[in-house]
């Protein structure tokens, strides 16, 4: 089968998302988000997310099938996020996918949400994504990966010791009163600020850190530094704080990504996950990768944040690589390690 038609289901957090791809062509990408229901709590509430998935699931599948102009019977395989994520939210997706695959008599692939973030680039750029260094920066995870084969060989080079990059954006946005989710809010506010206004710390970049944990991240010191600055500066300029904070995060993410490219001799970098939508990260990554002779790939902002297309894309790659499907009764795994591409 050269061009598998794959339906992907993503429910790891607050997006009920259905994607349909044929080979590497995106046919439908439907996203129903419950983000507005969580906003007043300042973060995602698992129970609300699970209930919203239940309500949005069938209408979203119907819309995706209509958008793709296919019939459900045409589908060659069903892929679903098996983890990591909120367990109640994941279960809505895995139960739906298992039922759908069983009903259609088609194979089921339970795949890793993080690997799916990386694989979505395959729908945009011509080149294979592997081997590559991948910077995966989302609301729940921040890691540097070496991807030798996106369907079964991912090595973690380093990860955050505390907050994920997106989480740091969300928390700082909250203390600055910029709202939730914080990433887009800080990105917007930073547009009118000076990134050099305040010299915030770059975590884990001392010469000792470069020796002992070159590919790990830490954002807690930065978070504390921003909070102290806000307390000590009653008339602070929001845009300058946003821009300087954003610059500190983006700078360190790229320093470590390019160091990993250099040390591994892999001249390819994929940036994936919600923080990949950040405009400053995209601009600075393009500049620094060009200077270092590294080929950069970042999916469009809409494909960086959670979506179903990424799950379908990884499913399509699994089918094309001849990987074995999952058992229909596999368990969702809320803390699925990044190295486990499928269950
Ligand atoms: O990948 P994602 O949609 O969900 C997870 O798997 O976590 O990532 C969500 C995270 C949130 O923390 C959000 O604030 C952040 O991505 N984010 C951004 C931007 N857009 C979304 N962070 C910085 N700049 C953005 N433009
Ligand atoms: Zn994600």
């Amino acid at each position: 089968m050269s061009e598998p038609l794959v339906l992907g289901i993503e429910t790891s957090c607050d997006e009920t998302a259905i994607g349909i791809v044929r080979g590497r062509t995106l046919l439908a990408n439907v996203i129903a988000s419950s983000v507005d229901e969580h906003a007043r709590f300042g973060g995602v509430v698992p129970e609300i997310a699970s209930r919203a998935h239940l309500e949005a699931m069938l209408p979203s599948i119907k819309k995706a099938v209509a958008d793709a102009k296919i019939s459900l019977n045409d589908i060659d395989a069903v892929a679903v996020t098996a983890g990591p994520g909120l367990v109640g939210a994941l279960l809505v997706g895995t139960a739906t996918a298992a039922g759908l695959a069983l009903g259609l008599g088609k194979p089921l692939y339970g795949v890793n949400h993080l690997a799916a973030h990386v694989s979505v680039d395959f729908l945009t750029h011509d080149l294979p994504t592997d081997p590559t260094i991948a910077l995966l920066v989302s609301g729940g995870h921040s890691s540097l990966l070496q991807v030798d084969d996106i369907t079964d060989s991912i090595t973690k080079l380093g990860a955050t010791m505390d907050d994920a990059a997106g989480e740091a954006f969300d928390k700082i946005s909250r203390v600055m009163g910029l709202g939730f989710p914080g990433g887009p809010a800080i990105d917007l506010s930073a547009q009118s600020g000076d990134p050099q206004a305040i010299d915030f710390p770059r975590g884990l970049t001392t010469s000792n850190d470069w020796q002992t944990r070159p590919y790990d991240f830490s954002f807690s010191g930065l978070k504390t530094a921003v909070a102290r600055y806000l307390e000590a500066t009653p008339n602070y300029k929001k845009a300058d704080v946003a821009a300087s904070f954003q610059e500190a995060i983006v700078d360190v993410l790229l320093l470590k990504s390019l160091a990993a490219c250099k040390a591994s001799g892999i001249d390819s970098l994929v940036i994936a996950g919600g923080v990949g939508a950040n405009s400053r990260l995209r601009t600075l990554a393009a500049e620094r990768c060009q200077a270092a002779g590294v080929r950069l790939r970042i999916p469009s902002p809409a494909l960086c944040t959670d979506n179903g297309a990424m799950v379908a894309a990884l499913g399509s790659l699994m089918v094309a690589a001849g990987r074995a499907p999952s058992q229909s009764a596999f368990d969702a795994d809320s803390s699925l390690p990044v190295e486990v591409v499928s269950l």
Side-chain angles (χ1 to χ4, degrees):
M1 187 194 308
S2 56
E3 290 272 271
L5 183 65
V6 181
L7 180 141
I9 301 179
E10 153 61 33
T11 62
S12 68
C13 193
D14 57 343
E15 267 93 26
T16 313
I18 309 295
I20 299 178
V21 305
R22 190 187 299 279
R24 52 187 306 156
T25 307
L26 181 58
L27 301 181
N29 194 22
V30 173
I31 303 179
S33 176
S34 59
V35 67
D36 294 343
E37 296 173 57
H38 306 283
R40 71 192 169 97
F41 301 102
V44 175
V45 182
E47 286 303 318
I48 294 178
S50 303
R51 179 170 292 270
H53 287 311
L54 278 173
E55 284 166 7
M57 182 58 74
L58 291 182
S60 299
I61 292 179
K62 282 186 184 148
K63 177 158 188 348
V65 166
D67 287 357
K69 302 189 174 56
I70 58 154
S71 139
L72 265 183
N73 289 309
D74 301 337
I75 284 164
D76 296 308
V78 179
V80 61
T81 298
L86 303 170
V87 70
L90 289 167
L91 284 170
V92 179
T94 56
T96 306
L100 197 57
L102 195 67
L104 295 171
K106 294 295 156 69
L108 171 68
Y109 290 85
V111 300
N112 190 309
H113 178 84
L114 308 173
H117 266 303
V118 176
S119 70
V120 76
D121 185 75
F122 157 82
L123 299 177
T124 312
H125 295 106
D126 254 2
L127 301 156
T129 31
D130 37 27
T132 191
I133 298 297
L135 170 67
L136 176 73
V137 272
S138 70
H141 295 85
S142 292
S143 32
L144 260 177
L145 311 171
Q146 179 169 328
V147 181
D148 289 305
D149 178 342
I150 188 70
T151 65
D152 91 332
S153 176
I154 298 182
T155 310
K156 183 155 78 176
L157 303 176
T160 181
M161 316 281 300
D162 36 63
D163 289 344
E167 200 179 350
F169 272 97
D170 293 337
K171 287 179 176 169
I172 292 301
S173 175
R174 194 181 320 158
V175 292
M176 289 174 67
L178 290 173
F180 174 84
I186 288 191
D187 197 342
L188 187 68
S189 170
Q191 317 257 320
S192 51
D194 174 5
Q196 314 301 335
I198 311 143
D199 186 17
F200 286 131
R202 271 62 170 163
L204 297 186
T205 56
T206 65
S207 54
N208 184 44
D209 295 326
W210 280 112
Q211 299 289 323
T212 53
R213 39 182 78 254
Y215 308 129
D216 287 329
F217 303 107
S218 168
F219 301 112
S220 67
L222 170 61
K223 229 174 44 190
T224 310
V226 176
R228 288 220 180 102
Y229 178 86
L230 298 179
E231 269 168 34
T233 322
N235 295 319
Y236 67 83
K237 204 172 155 225
K238 268 190 190 176
D240 282 351
V241 179
S244 302
F245 160 77
Q246 175 174 273
E247 195 70 9
I249 291 210
V250 165
D251 182 28
V252 81
L253 291 175
L254 292 174
L255 281 174
K256 298 208 167 206
S257 301
L258 286 166
C261 289
K262 196 168 175 196
S264 62
I266 296 176
D267 62 355
S268 159
L269 176 66
V270 171
I271 299 183
V275 180
N278 184 266
S279 61
R280 180 62 182 149
L281 178 59
R282 300 174 78 90
T283 306
L284 200 60
E287 282 170 26
R288 290 196 186 169
C289 284
Q290 195 185 20
V294 168
R295 215 173 48 214
L296 171 69
R297 280 165 290 168
I298 318 185
S300 65
L303 291 180
C304 283
T305 47
D306 287 350
N307 62 80
M310 67 190 208
V311 179
L314 184 50
S316 170
L317 285 159
M318 301 288 287
V319 173
R323 300 275 165 224
S326 309
Q327 303 293 322
S328 66
F330 72 84
D331 278 333
D333 183 347
S334 61
S335 52
L336 189 65
V338 66
E339 297 89 345
V340 182
V341 178
S342 65
L343 288 183

